[in-house]
Amino acid sequence: MKNRIFSGEKPEPTGTQTGNNRGVLDYIRIFWTHFWQLAFLNIVFCLACLPVVTIPAALAGMNRACIKLVQEGYVLVGLEFRDAFRKEFGKSLGLGVLFGGLLAGSYYLLSLGLSNGGNPYGLLFSGGGLCLLAIAVLWGQYSFVLLPSLDLPLGAILRNGWSLAFLGAPSSLGILVLKAAGVLFMVMLSPISLGIALFFGVAFVQYTICFLVNFPLQKWILEPFRRSQQESKP
């Protein structure tokens, strides 16, 4: 399993990552303590997304700040965002193209399903669209959290993200529920929900996703890596 997850590469953590899996009380405490930092991070993210092409790098920067906050309980938001934005710009763009294409494909299949709702092909297209959407969301979220967290080539990031999406099934289910709830919230409370999203909504979602991803990340990658490092010491 170790070779499968590591994909032949050493998952060098980017920075100090000493935090173990945290509980719900830690989640609430960290969020409450750093609410205004997350709000600031949300605004910086939105501004960084204005050129559109920078959206993947901005997401990598936000995830870097959020995963460090989850693991260590504190973070210098501006510094972490800036460093990850610059460092991961090229690789994040590749991820953006890949998962943007998957999302576009899911939208196309779902639209075919709606237009053929009265026959079996409608169900087939709709089912395929929903499956592709779930794959794009889960694989994309895991990959975009791993990208600024581990010093790995893009191919290894994608392989690890794919594996963790299955190995961390409870976290993956939580991510899907969170995303579905977010879509319903945006639709039902529009346009108020847009203002909330611009103020702190995106940061809240990504902080929660990083909290969920941290469980399989710690179990399957970081803890085995730390043990291997200790065993290799003379």
Side-chain angles (χ1 to χ4, degrees):
M1 184 63 68
K2 176 180 177 181
N3 292 334
R4 176 187 173 188
I5 298 299
F6 288 179
S7 304
E9 302 286 346
K10 290 185 177 181
E12 296 288 351
T14 56
T16 59
Q17 300 186 16
T18 58
N20 295 319
N21 291 337
R22 298 179 178 272
V24 176
L25 292 180
D26 290 313
Y27 168 86
I28 298 173
R29 176 183 57 81
I30 292 173
F31 177 77
W32 180 260
T33 303
H34 299 275
F35 174 83
W36 291 110
Q37 287 196 65
L38 289 171
F40 172 74
L41 177 63
N42 199 98
I43 294 172
V44 171
F45 169 81
C46 291
L47 292 175
C49 289
L50 290 178
V52 180
V53 72
T54 57
I55 292 177
L59 182 58
M62 173 173 279
N63 284 342
R64 173 58 186 160
C66 288
I67 194 65
K68 187 168 185 179
L69 183 60
V70 168
Q71 293 175 339
E72 300 184 7
Y74 65 92
V75 66
L76 298 175
V77 169
L79 182 63
E80 295 295 338
F81 182 92
R82 182 199 66 187
D83 290 348
F85 185 94
R86 292 177 177 177
K87 181 181 178 182
E88 309 299 348
F89 185 88
K91 288 194 289 187
S92 67
L93 193 59
L95 291 181
V97 171
L98 171 61
F99 295 114
L102 290 178
L103 289 173
S106 69
Y107 174 80
Y108 178 70
L109 289 176
L110 288 172
S111 64
L112 288 177
L114 290 175
S115 61
N116 293 273
N119 58 64
Y121 290 105
L123 293 176
L124 181 63
F125 286 131
S126 297
L130 289 174
C131 289
L132 189 58
L133 178 61
I135 290 172
V137 169
L138 288 178
W139 193 14
Q141 288 296 338
Y142 276 95
S143 297
F144 267 103
V145 173
L146 294 182
L147 178 63
S149 303
L150 304 175
D151 189 12
L152 289 174
L154 188 57
I157 290 291
L158 288 170
R159 289 191 291 272
N160 288 332
W162 179 264
S163 297
L164 288 185
F166 290 97
L167 293 171
S171 294
S172 298
L173 179 60
I175 292 173
L176 290 177
V177 171
L178 177 65
K179 285 292 186 177
V183 171
L184 289 176
F185 174 80
M186 292 295 295
V187 172
M188 294 179 65
L189 294 183
S190 180
I192 298 174
S193 58
L194 179 60
I196 296 175
L198 293 175
F199 177 57
F200 75 91
V202 181
F204 168 74
V205 170
Q206 292 308 126
Y207 165 72
T208 305
I209 287 174
C210 287
F211 182 85
L212 293 170
V213 170
N214 188 53
F215 287 97
L217 174 60
Q218 291 284 343
K219 179 178 180 180
W220 296 104
I221 295 183
L222 295 183
E223 290 178 1
F225 176 72
R226 296 189 190 106
R227 288 198 297 267
S228 67
Q229 290 292 91
Q230 293 175 353
E231 293 171 358
S232 63
K233 294 179 180 179

